[in-house]
Structures are given as C-alpha cells and as structure tokens.
Amino acid sequence: MLAALLYGQEDLRLEQVAEPTPTTGEVVMKVGVATTCGTDLKVWRRGGHAKMLQLPTLFGHEAAGEIVAVGTGVRDWQVGDRIVANNSAPCMKCFFCQRQEYSLCPNITWNNGTFAEYLKIPAAIVQHNMFRVPDQLPLSLASMTEPLACVLHGVARSDVKPHDRVVVLGDGAIGLMFVAVLAQTSQVILWGGNDHRLKTGQQLGATHTFNYHHIPDIASVVKELTQGWGGDVVIEATGVPSVWETAITCARPGATVNLFGGCPRDTTITVDTEKLHYSELTLKGVFHNTPEYVRAALSLIASGKIPFELLISQERSLQDLEQVFYQMKAREVIKVAMIPGLP
C-alpha cells in the first residue's frame, strides 16, 4: 500500500509498504479520510515528537474509515463498519488510570500512520477508544474527532463558567476549535496572525478577533475589553514559549491560564512570581485527551450544532501530502482532508 513515512525534519516520503494484517484483538481500517493537524505540522517541522514517535515512522494520526479485516477475539465489530479510532488508548490499570487521569498514563498505546491506504488499530484502542461513525456523518468530519477531544479535555480543565470572557491565543485548527466550543457559553476574544483564519473564528462565534501583526500589544487590548482586568480564562494554543508568557499577562486576578500548545523540547518561560502569587493565578498544562472526551467529541460533531466543516480548507490526494504541509507551513490552509482514493 501507499503510505507516508517521516524520516526527519521536513523529510516526509511516500513509499510502498506492506498492507497491515490484524492479530488478536486488532482490526484494519481502510482510510476514507485522514485530516491534517497542527501537531502533524509541528512534528514535521521539528522532525519528531518526544512522546509519540520514533523515526522513521508511519505518519498522521487523524482518520476515519471502514473496517476491512478483523483479528481473532474481536467482538461487536465486523467488516464494513464505519469507524473512527483515536490515536491512543490508556492501559486502564496503572496508578494514573485508576485515578481516571488517563492522559497521564505512562503505558499509553500510541498509533500513527493515518496518511496511508490502510491503518491497523491496536487491540487496546479497539477495546477502549474506537467508535462507530453515524451513517449520515461525512468521514471528513468524523476524522476531526481526535483534535476536538483534546479541545474538550482542555475546556473541561480550564474551569470556564457561563459568560466568562475567554482569551484564545492562536488561530490554528485547535485555537479555532476552542473558539467554536467556548463561544456556545462564553465571550471569546481570539488572537491570531492570519486574517482568513480570524474570519473563520468570527463565523465560529468569536466576539472579537485581532491580528497581532497589526496590534502587537495583546495584553493592553485584552484589558481594555475587560474593564482593565484581563481574561477570566486564557487559552494558549500556539506552542510558542513567548506566547505562553503573553498568555499569563492577559489573565485577570484569579484567572486560569491553560498552557495548551506544546512547546519545543527543553524550552523554558519566565513567570512574574509576584503576579502569580498575589493575583492567585492558576497555570495549567493540559495534554491530549481521554476516552470520555473522544466519545463526546464524536457526538458533538455528529450533532451538527457547530459548523466544523469550516475548518476543512481542501480535499487532496495522498500524493499531494508534501505540498499540503508546505501550504500549512505558509498558513494557506487550516486543515486538509487527505483522501487516499483520489487520483
């Protein structure tokens, strides 16, 4: 089959590899749609991911499709089922899993390789983190379940209250998903660097949008919009250390700052300890998702309440994958639906 493999920094190759065969507890999915993700872009640019990848490796982690093979011992699944499988599953046995802190599981099963014609789903994911896609739901939307699950996890950990004023820093797909979810109950102030993406943010419900290229003093504008105080909740969704620091300056006393975007390895930030202490700030790092939020994300997408289709900029053939990543690097697209069946 044709598959994309990551060999290093901006070194992505399409190769012919053996089609996967399921062993006990596993299934094989024919990939209908694999969507690109900001994390994929980050990993491609950096040449790896400390937790999820060992190079060279099959690449991509968001997809939906149809079961084409079932291993022994698999129950309740059969060939022809339309599915979305998360890219991970916790072990359900360790110290953290017993505390339901599933995203911290040290024995988590990771699965990559969605930019391919077929994808093998490990037994742990089949058992705990694979779900049926409703018949009426397009696979391109279902494939966005994983990043939305991460966002729902982030929202749940951010202590957002109805009518809060939430600042979102970052207009990538994750930042825009935060806007879409939070705008249902809160006022959202979105900052980004791309006017087209900021317009999409408005369509998804952002109350205010600002381009930091034109208005670089982010904290001052946020305070002007909040009677001099700052955001009740601040979400950092870029993975840039300087933006982590900016996020803290945008927070009002008593606020929660969710440092959601993963920064490069071995980077640090500087925190004003006086502000942290006397303003009683809560700084949180939130990582990945849990089965609960994967299920909730698929349900939210299927409900049609939020037009997540706005995030799909294009549909492209798998052969165009490298070009698509350069488009993402240039911020010309948000998410692209890669369809292995396209010529």
Side-chain angles (χ1 to χ4, degrees), residues 18-310:
E19 291 184 8
T21 301
T23 59
T24 302
E26 299 177 335
V27 304
V28 172
M29 177 181 75
K30 181 179 181 181
V31 177
V33 178
T35 42
T36 62
C37 174
T39 297
D40 294 330
L41 176 65
K42 181 169 63 177
V43 171
W44 174 73
R45 295 183 71 174
R46 296 177 185 173
H49 189 290
K51 290 187 70 70
M52 288 188 276
L53 298 173
Q54 289 187 346
L55 302 178
T57 182
L58 293 167
F59 195 48
H61 69 281
E62 299 178 13
E66 180 180 306
I67 293 177
V68 293
V70 176
T72 58
V74 174
R75 298 179 179 179
D76 301 323
W77 298 101
Q78 59 188 2
V79 171
D81 286 343
R82 299 171 82 236
I83 61 167
V84 61
N86 199 49
N87 69 326
S88 72
C91 73
M92 297 295 181
K93 299 176 182 178
C94 70
F95 169 83
F96 295 100
C97 287
Q98 292 301 304
R99 296 169 63 91
Q100 298 185 358
E101 297 174 341
Y102 300 115
S103 58
L104 299 178
C105 173
N107 309 312
I108 199 165
T109 297
W110 295 104
N111 194 37
N112 290 280
T114 58
F115 296 131
E117 294 178 276
Y118 299 94
L119 177 70
K120 184 166 70 172
I121 313 298
I125 296 176
V126 172
Q127 185 177 0
H128 300 298
N129 236 352
M130 189 172 82
F131 302 95
R132 284 181 173 80
V133 175
D135 291 339
Q136 77 281 4
L137 184 62
L139 292 178
S140 58
L141 294 181
S143 67
M144 292 192 283
T145 297
E146 189 275 338
L148 181 59
C150 296
V151 166
L152 294 181
H153 181 209
V155 170
R157 296 288 302 279
S158 298
D159 195 27
V160 183
K161 299 177 178 63
H163 311 298
D164 269 355
R165 292 171 294 196
V166 182
V167 180
V168 175
L169 302 180
D171 58 3
I174 290 293
L176 293 172
M177 283 186 171
F178 268 110
V179 170
V181 174
L182 291 165
Q184 305 301 302
T185 58
S186 307
Q187 301 176 51
V188 182
I189 303 167
L190 172 64
W191 289 83
N194 182 285
D195 288 337
H196 172 69
R197 294 184 183 205
L198 292 171
K199 183 177 179 181
T200 301
Q202 292 174 351
Q203 292 174 286
L204 291 170
T207 309
H208 303 279
T209 61
F210 298 96
N211 189 320
Y212 67 84
H213 293 300
H214 308 318
I215 309 175
D217 192 352
I218 295 174
S220 293
V221 174
V222 168
K223 289 177 180 178
E224 288 176 12
L225 293 171
T226 55
Q227 293 75 52
W229 291 115
D232 301 300
V233 175
V234 183
I235 309 287
E236 194 289 328
T238 71
V240 177
S242 62
V243 184
W244 278 37
E245 295 179 352
T246 297
I248 298 169
T249 68
C250 291
R252 69 159 172 82
T256 295
V257 181
N258 181 342
L259 302 170
F260 191 85
C263 295
R265 199 172 192 174
D266 298 325
T267 53
T268 60
I269 65 168
T270 300
V271 178
D272 182 338
T273 55
E274 182 177 0
K275 179 178 176 66
L276 176 63
H277 178 74
Y278 290 104
S279 293
E280 296 189 11
L281 297 181
T282 299
L283 307 185
K284 286 188 176 181
V286 182
F287 171 65
H288 199 44
N289 58 47
T290 73
E292 171 191 0
Y293 295 115
V294 177
R295 186 180 295 105
L298 180 59
S299 178
L300 179 57
I301 292 171
S303 73
K305 293 179 181 178
I306 296 174
F308 288 111
E309 62 272 10
L310 293 173

